[in-house]
Amino acid sequence: MKNDLKIKFGSVIYDKINTVRMSEHERLVAINAMHDADAIVNAIMWISSKIEQLGAALFLSPSIKH
């Protein structure tokens, strides 16, 4: 496995995957699933951040009412 995967997912999770008895293919599938989950979480966090920024821009902007 690449060292950057170990750094990205943390040594605890990496160690757990290595201690479980599974084939190399299953291990690769597990790491890819973790990578996909990380990407989904990052996308959700980015979307929620953009919604928060949009809400702040809409509700905190000066009113045009006279």
Side-chain angles (χ1 to χ4, degrees):
M1 306 258 165
K2 292 184 179 179
N3 194 25
D4 59 338
L5 288 176
K6 184 176 179 179
I7 293 169
K8 182 172 177 113
F9 296 120
S11 61
V12 174
I13 296 172
Y14 182 80
D15 290 341
K16 291 287 185 185
I17 289 176
N18 281 332
T19 58
V20 174
R21 276 177 54 154
M22 63 174 77
S23 69
E24 190 61 34
H25 174 71
E26 291 171 331
R27 188 169 311 200
L28 184 58
V29 168
I31 288 178
N32 285 337
M34 288 175 39
H35 177 68
D36 292 346
D38 186 46
I40 291 170
V41 168
N42 285 338
I44 291 170
M45 296 208 31
W46 182 84
I47 290 170
S48 67
S49 171
K50 293 301 175 185
I51 291 172
E52 182 181 336
Q53 289 174 1
L54 180 63
L58 290 176
F59 295 115
L60 297 179
S61 62
S63 179
I64 302 179
K65 297 177 186 176
H66 292 285

